[in-house]
Amino acid sequence: MLAINGPVLASLTPAVSVKQLVEVVSAQSERERRSVVARIKARRGQGHPPPYYTSAKAAIREFHANGYPRAWLTGRAADMRRDSVSALGWRRGDLLRSAAGLDDYGVHFGRRVLAVETAPTLGLVCCGVRVTSRPDLVAREGGVLKLLRLELRDQPPSATLQQIAPVVLFTAAAQYGFAVTPGDIELVHVRSGQVFVAREVTRIMRIVQQNCTVIHRYW
């Protein structure tokens, strides 16, 4: 669980997302790792990228929260395509991609029954580095608590992201107090219908710790 004592400490502590951590893990040399950390640090405070797929994720939460039939997703996708005609900039492309994501979600997960709960921002402090990880859905399925991250891009998550993202989310969730097992944490690639759960937690967390040490050293 994130535990930051005041704005001064928060401003000095290196902070990365799971995907930024994966960039460091995937670097092929010490020089490349140093360069990746420098890029991440340089982007800090320069604003965030457009919130791609926000519309799709919100629609998926609404779909499950209200227990709508699968056809509802098709209707929302049609609404997004209609709205994209008058949208400008990145918003237009995002509506079209979100619509495609809803179509894929309906095909692969449209019959899944999830009772949605509040999804907090989670994270952990590891070797002096904050690693943030927010589930897109916290829900009960057949009485079992599940935490899901939705990956809506066409390209499947890299093997490194498949391993690290669920383990970091599991570790953060367990520290936060969620009663979950590694198998309850899901990284969902919506386009293909693939689900990746947390595995080999101890080994993966050693990798996370090693690379957080690197981030802290080069920050």
Side-chain angles (χ1 to χ4, degrees):
M1 177 171 54
L2 290 178
I4 303 302
N5 297 319
V8 175
L9 179 57
S11 66
L12 296 176
T13 303
V16 298
S17 67
V18 169
K19 289 187 176 180
Q20 289 172 330
L21 173 63
V22 168
E23 288 183 54
V24 178
V25 174
S26 301
Q28 299 300 306
S29 67
E30 197 70 11
R31 181 177 180 179
E32 186 178 346
R33 279 187 284 274
R34 184 196 294 265
S35 177
V36 170
V37 173
R39 286 202 306 272
I40 294 171
K41 184 178 180 182
R43 292 199 297 263
R44 188 174 183 180
Q46 295 184 358
H48 299 284
Y52 292 118
Y53 298 110
T54 298
S55 299
K57 291 179 180 180
I60 290 169
R61 284 192 293 270
E62 184 179 355
F63 167 71
H64 287 299
N66 292 283
Y68 289 138
R70 185 169 60 169
W72 183 87
L73 291 169
T74 302
R76 283 295 291 120
D79 291 342
M80 290 179 184
R81 292 188 173 96
R82 181 201 62 217
D83 293 344
S84 72
V85 175
S86 57
L88 300 174
W90 68 270
R91 178 68 174 162
R92 180 174 186 177
D94 184 54
L95 283 169
L96 291 172
R97 287 191 292 267
S98 290
L102 291 187
D103 288 338
D104 293 330
Y105 194 85
V107 169
H108 297 296
F109 305 106
R111 289 190 170 88
R112 195 170 184 182
V113 178
L114 299 174
V116 176
E117 300 184 2
T118 302
T121 298
L122 299 176
L124 51 88
V125 176
C126 178
C127 302
V129 176
R130 290 187 294 136
V131 184
T132 57
S133 177
R134 177 166 186 164
D136 294 303
L137 284 173
V138 174
R140 294 190 180 274
E141 184 174 36
V144 178
L145 188 63
K146 302 279 187 177
L147 277 71
L148 284 67
R149 280 185 60 127
L150 303 175
E151 180 57 74
L152 286 137
R153 294 180 299 177
D154 290 347
Q155 186 175 355
S158 68
T160 306
L161 186 61
Q162 292 172 22
Q163 294 178 322
I164 289 179
V167 168
V168 169
L169 183 53
F170 166 71
T171 304
Q175 290 182 2
Y176 190 85
F178 283 111
V180 291
T181 68
D184 299 329
I185 309 301
E186 301 183 6
L187 173 64
V188 180
H189 184 235
V190 173
R191 180 64 181 269
S192 65
Q194 291 179 286
V195 175
F196 308 97
V197 301
R199 302 180 188 276
E200 301 182 88
V201 173
T202 301
R203 182 181 71 83
I204 297 301
M205 280 306 299
R206 280 200 298 266
I207 295 172
V208 170
Q209 290 165 359
Q210 291 165 2
N211 283 273
C212 283
T213 299
V214 170
I215 292 169
H216 194 272
R217 181 190 312 144
Y218 293 140
W219 194 262

